[in-house]
Amino acid sequence: MNAKTLYDKLWDAHLVRQEPDGTALIYIDRHLIHEVTSPQAFEGLRLAGRKPWRTASVVATADHNVPTDPGESEIRDPVSREQVVTLDQNIRAFGALRYFPFRDPRQGIVHVIGPESGATLPGMTVVCGDSHTSTHGAFACLAHGIGTSEVEHVLATQCLIQKKAKNMRVRVDGGLPPGVYAKDVILAIIGRIGTAGGTGHAIEFAGEAIRSLSMEGRMTVCNMAIEAGARVGMVAVDDKTIDYFRGKPLAPKGELWERAVDYWRTLVSDTDARFDREVVLDASTLKPQVTWGTSPEMVTDIEGRVPDPAAFADPVKRDAAERALAYMGLEPGTPITEIPVDQVFIGSCTNSRIEDLRAAAAVVRGRKKAPNVKRVLVVPGSGLVKKQAEEEGLHRIFLEAGFEWRDPGCSMCLAMNADRLEPGERCASTSNRNFEGRQGAGGRTHLVSPAMAAAAAIAGHFVDVRELLPASA
Amino acid sequence: MEKFIRLDALVAPLDRANVDTDAIIPKQFLKSIHRSGFGPYLFDEWRYLDHGEPGMDCSKRPKNPDFVLNQPRYEGAQILLVRENFGCGSSREHAPWALLDYGFRALIGPSFADIFYNNCFKNGLLPIVLPTEEVDRLFRECEAMPGYRLVIDLPSQTITTPEGRVISFEIDPFRKECLLNGWDDIALTLRHADEIRRFEEAYRARHPYYFVEESAA
Ligand code: SF4
């Protein structure tokens, strides 16, 4: 028999039919829905007089434009409110397996609550009208971010039209040094292969460093597969994957659990499987990463400097770097540690899970926000993450340091709600995109890990978090 | 979906790499619950000097004279020349909706981001991939010649320049069919509804643990 990659296996298990030219229908197990990319899809169904194929595959939440002010029970912006209300109405009219509406205790960012509730399970095909759906690949899911027409298509047919992508493996060997986290790994990967490096490929992240990551860390890595150009990112199943789902509300129980686990254990690439492309990194040499530009591939490490655009041989890259530095208000040659920050954002589907908050709190404990930092937002990814963090007392560490402890949502990751940067403000952010205007018109975003973001909040500028970490025991 | 067969139209060059969907249509406009009306806000941050919000009357806003689409010679352009990795970033379909609503029917560039590329076809917007050198040449010609037009003929998969040079391009046959006929994906897929149902049954038997709630209900 032919050796298969994890991607091949997931693809084959869900293949309904395939045209001679490769266009295929892929069966979808889980459809995650949020307020921004779904209204036009439901409207389309209604106009065509179509019904959803399997509403029990739908799990929905409001996350993108809900306010995250603590205790805020109303959405003041009328346009945002209309979108959230529209979602309420659509779910009521069409049905869903679960709905976590605004202010439900389990509401949160769609990519956080999917796994947390067991709505996402290993081996599933998962889609969501959001490009960071690749996050769910951490659980050996075939997870695609889709557009609104595709949301409508999946609702109506339970299938996604796809062509099979090529197989790519990114192997990260070695162990991660202290102060280097999943976020640094994925930023370093993107720095190496570029934002189009994975285009047309499904990436499997493998190797010792990936296996050593917690499920949360693997989610961080897969989350940003899309920033490397790949629609799909994955990690194979191991014991950690299976343990993660024990007792999750929507996970199977009893005999079905056993059957599921037997199947899940097969969700690994065969040892002799062939990849169309392979990239290898050594984790042991990695340092904390900081982006300096307006694309995630514009990244260096904390010991680095803002590059000189003149040093880029490729004229398109040189031009892009020049534009980026002008936008970011940075001079070539400036050491990264000399860049001051105005705001800090710890949150987003990349880094808002409990482990991220713990990593940030470990740096912050007993310290205070620097006076030049206007604002530090800590936004947990879900109501459950928030509760857990409060049980551990993390919120007190943040509040005592002068940080804000918010309610769950996407918040300043895309600044669709009121959390945003003012023009020219600079932000250390744990989110995934540093595009122009992403965190507010004219705002300047530097992507970092939660520990690095916390460190910048304390120091008032970027700083090597390894210097702030308590000497490890 | 509107059919796409042949397009003879004015060309505008957008000379930037990695144009992301946030730049194509900034997020404040994503709050709309409709598919149309995004055209006036296309490239909002580059096109206007003030900050745009949904519902603004764009005819009264200060325009950025340096932005290419504001130059009178490109008024009415329906073909946009772009650089590598166009449409990267978020999966928002509002990006192709905004391009279409503005009047564009085709894009020509060396590469497009995956999800965006897909979304274009679902809306009758044709993204054409050509080798970088060819795109460079089109940029040069377009900038040098006011009123520069191209003729895109989908059945023959060719682009014809004003001087009569014919460039062929590749397109997936299925997508081509859909564009030529203006077919809606859902109707096409539902022709296979029985096959999907059969698959679903067998799949459910093999993987009952993915259907727990339903069987309990
Ligand atoms: S946190 Fe940011 S990237 Fe993640 S789903 Fe929300 S807006 Fe998208």
Side-chain angles (χ1 to χ4, degrees):
Chain A
M1 228 188 71
N2 280 345
K4 287 181 176 182
T5 64
L6 169 59
Y7 175 61
D8 295 337
K9 291 181 182 180
L10 293 171
W11 175 270
D12 291 350
H14 294 90
L15 183 64
V16 176
R17 61 175 278 123
Q18 191 157 17
E19 306 294 335
D21 74 347
T23 307
L25 287 180
I26 293 296
Y27 185 79
I28 300 303
D29 294 309
R30 181 63 69 221
H31 191 177
L32 302 169
I33 284 189
H34 65 87
E35 78 277 22
V36 178
T37 51
S38 67
Q40 293 88 352
F42 283 112
E43 182 192 52
L45 279 190
R46 224 176 260 120
L47 288 176
R50 288 177 178 133
K51 288 214 166 6
W53 183 280
R54 181 160 81 91
T55 48
S57 68
V58 173
V59 170
T61 194
D63 57 0
H64 278 64
N65 63 75
V66 299
T68 65
D69 311 73
E72 179 70 277
S73 58
E74 239 187 273
I75 305 175
R76 289 175 200 279
D77 173 6
V79 204
S80 294
R81 188 171 54 232
E82 189 186 8
Q83 229 175 29
V84 174
V85 168
T86 305
L87 179 64
D88 288 342
Q89 290 166 347
N90 283 328
I91 297 299
R92 215 175 304 130
F94 290 98
L97 176 65
R98 284 286 186 282
Y99 181 38
F100 305 109
F102 176 52
R103 286 303 164 252
D104 183 283
R106 291 159 305 166
Q107 172 264 342
I109 304 174
V110 66
H111 307 309
V112 177
I113 64 166
E116 184 179 84
S117 62
T120 303
L121 293 171
M124 276 185 167
T125 40
V126 179
V127 295
C128 177
D130 184 282
S131 54
H132 290 98
T133 309
S134 56
T135 312
H136 307 263
F139 306 96
C141 290
L142 181 54
H144 289 89
I146 59 179
T148 300
S149 294
E150 290 172 310
V151 171
E152 185 180 339
H153 188 273
V154 174
L155 280 169
T157 69
Q158 210 56 40
C159 292
L160 182 67
I161 302 178
Q162 270 297 296
K163 270 196 169 175
K164 198 172 173 196
K166 292 202 193 99
N167 277 293
M168 172 165 176
R169 178 159 61 187
V170 175
R171 220 179 68 207
V172 190
D173 293 336
L176 285 181
V180 177
Y181 303 87
K183 183 65 161 287
D184 302 302
V185 172
I186 186 64
L187 284 173
I189 291 171
I190 296 166
R192 163 84 84 84
I193 69 176
T195 49
T199 303
H201 290 78
I203 301 182
E204 179 177 344
F205 297 98
E208 186 190 336
I210 301 292
R211 276 197 307 278
S212 75
L213 293 175
S214 65
M215 292 317 296
E216 283 81 1
R218 296 175 189 182
M219 286 168 83
T220 301
V221 171
C222 289
N223 175 273
M224 291 187 71
I226 187 74
E227 271 65 48
R231 205 170 175 187
V232 165
M234 287 160 299
V235 176
V237 166
D238 62 10
D239 288 341
K240 281 186 203 168
T241 322
I242 289 165
D243 289 342
Y244 178 92
F245 288 101
R246 270 179 225 282
K248 290 276 186 279
L250 294 172
K253 312 266 159 7
E255 188 255 339
L256 275 183
W257 167 264
E258 300 303 329
R259 265 182 84 174
V261 169
D262 285 346
Y263 172 56
W264 294 345
R265 294 225 181 262
T266 66
L267 300 175
V268 296
S269 287
D270 296 333
T271 37
D272 44 353
R274 227 194 101 260
F275 288 85
D276 301 288
R277 198 175 159 208
E278 180 147 49
V279 174
V280 182
L281 270 82
D282 178 4
S284 62
T285 61
L286 287 182
K287 296 170 189 156
Q289 305 282 305
V290 183
T291 64
W292 50 264
T294 52
S295 161
E297 70 183 20
M298 297 174 171
V299 66
T300 182
D301 63 58
I302 187 65
E303 295 169 11
R305 290 169 184 268
V306 174
D308 186 350
F312 289 91
D314 174 353
V316 176
K317 286 226 153 69
R318 190 183 317 137
D319 185 47
E322 257 163 32
R323 236 189 259 275
L325 291 194
Y327 180 84
M328 295 295 289
L330 292 173
E331 290 300 322
T334 310
I336 297 294
T337 49
E338 284 177 17
I339 302 175
V341 300
D342 303 304
Q343 295 210 40
V344 175
F345 172 60
I346 300 176
S348 90
C349 58
T350 315
N351 285 126
S352 64
R353 286 167 287 267
I354 189 68
E355 176 184 282
D356 302 313
L357 301 183
R358 285 182 193 141
V363 174
V364 175
R365 194 182 301 273
R367 296 184 167 116
K368 292 244 179 300
K369 164 178 96 57
N372 67 305
V373 177
K374 292 178 208 153
R375 197 177 186 207
V376 183
L377 292 183
V378 186
V379 188
S382 73
L384 292 183
V385 170
K386 181 168 197 227
K387 190 159 158 272
Q388 167 87 31
E390 290 180 351
E391 279 166 17
E392 295 180 18
L394 304 182
H395 66 308
R396 248 175 281 120
I397 297 174
F398 294 131
L399 288 168
E400 277 161 18
F403 296 7
E404 292 178 40
W405 177 243
R406 314 279 292 194
D407 278 347
C410 293
S411 180
M412 216 207 278
C413 174
L414 90 168
M416 257 185 97
N417 68 359
D419 309 338
R420 64 180 71 155
L421 298 179
E422 294 300 319
E425 275 188 339
R426 190 180 298 287
C427 181
S429 176
T430 66
S431 54
N432 43 50
R433 290 196 172 132
N434 51 356
F435 299 151
E436 289 187 18
R438 171 76 176 182
Q439 296 191 293
R444 296 162 172 166
T445 303
H446 297 266
L447 304 176
V448 288
S449 74
M452 282 288 286
I458 302 299
H461 53 86
F462 289 103
V463 65
D464 193 335
V465 68
R466 295 171 297 183
E467 292 162 15
L468 290 185
L469 283 178
S472 56
Chain B
M1 188 174 90
E2 207 180 317
K3 290 183 191 176
F4 189 114
I5 299 168
R6 190 185 157 85
L7 178 68
D8 175 349
L10 189 69
V11 183
L14 184 66
D15 196 357
R16 290 183 182 227
N18 296 310
V19 171
D20 62 83
T21 53
D22 284 298
I24 298 174
I25 182 84
K27 65 224 154 217
Q28 62 269 34
F29 303 104
L30 271 53
K31 295 179 185 177
S32 162
I33 57 168
H34 306 289
R35 273 177 209 255
S36 54
F38 296 104
Y41 311 110
L42 176 70
F43 300 120
D44 198 87
E45 278 180 27
W46 295 338
R47 207 160 134 204
Y48 303 100
L49 295 170
D50 62 347
H51 174 75
E53 283 295 332
M56 272 180 148
D57 177 358
C58 293
S59 62
K60 302 209 169 67
R61 294 174 58 195
K63 290 206 167 69
N64 171 8
D66 297 333
F67 183 58
V68 63
L69 294 185
N70 287 333
Q71 296 173 20
R73 63 182 276 200
Y74 297 122
E75 209 173 295
Q78 289 182 281
I79 299 172
L80 188 65
L81 279 181
V82 301
R83 293 294 188 186
E84 63 186 36
N85 204 25
F86 186 85
C88 59
S90 112
S91 64
R92 66 188 64 162
E93 202 154 320
H94 311 67
W97 294 339
L99 287 159
L100 277 168
D101 199 60
Y102 179 92
F104 288 114
R105 290 301 317 277
L107 310 170
I108 302 175
S111 62
F112 296 90
D114 273 359
I115 301 181
F116 172 81
Y117 185 74
N118 238 331
N119 283 341
C120 286
F121 284 103
K122 312 228 177 263
N123 291 281
L125 179 65
L126 173 62
I128 299 176
V129 179
L130 292 180
T132 308
E133 313 78 69
E134 192 59 73
V135 175
D136 281 344
R137 184 157 173 198
L138 291 176
F139 264 97
R140 280 197 305 274
E141 291 178 359
C142 178
E143 277 155 11
M145 177 181 167
Y148 185 82
R149 299 175 77 85
L150 290 172
V151 179
I152 299 175
D153 185 66
L154 185 55
S156 65
Q157 298 179 213
T158 56
I159 303 172
T160 310
T161 68
E163 58 185 23
R165 188 158 53 90
V166 178
I167 308 160
S168 357
F169 61 89
E170 291 298 318
I171 177 172
D172 174 290
F174 174 70
R175 285 174 160 151
K176 178 176 171 182
E177 273 295 288
C178 291
L179 276 179
L180 286 174
N181 295 290
W183 279 337
D184 146 16
D185 277 353
I186 298 182
L188 283 178
T189 299
L190 286 176
R191 293 198 307 209
H192 307 297
D194 289 341
E195 204 173 337
I196 300 172
R197 229 169 266 122
R198 275 199 303 279
F199 176 91
E200 190 172 46
E201 248 168 65
Y203 182 81
R204 188 192 288 254
R206 224 175 312 128
H207 304 286
Y209 32 81
Y210 294 144
F211 296 81
V212 175
E213 292 272 322
E214 281 147 272
S215 30

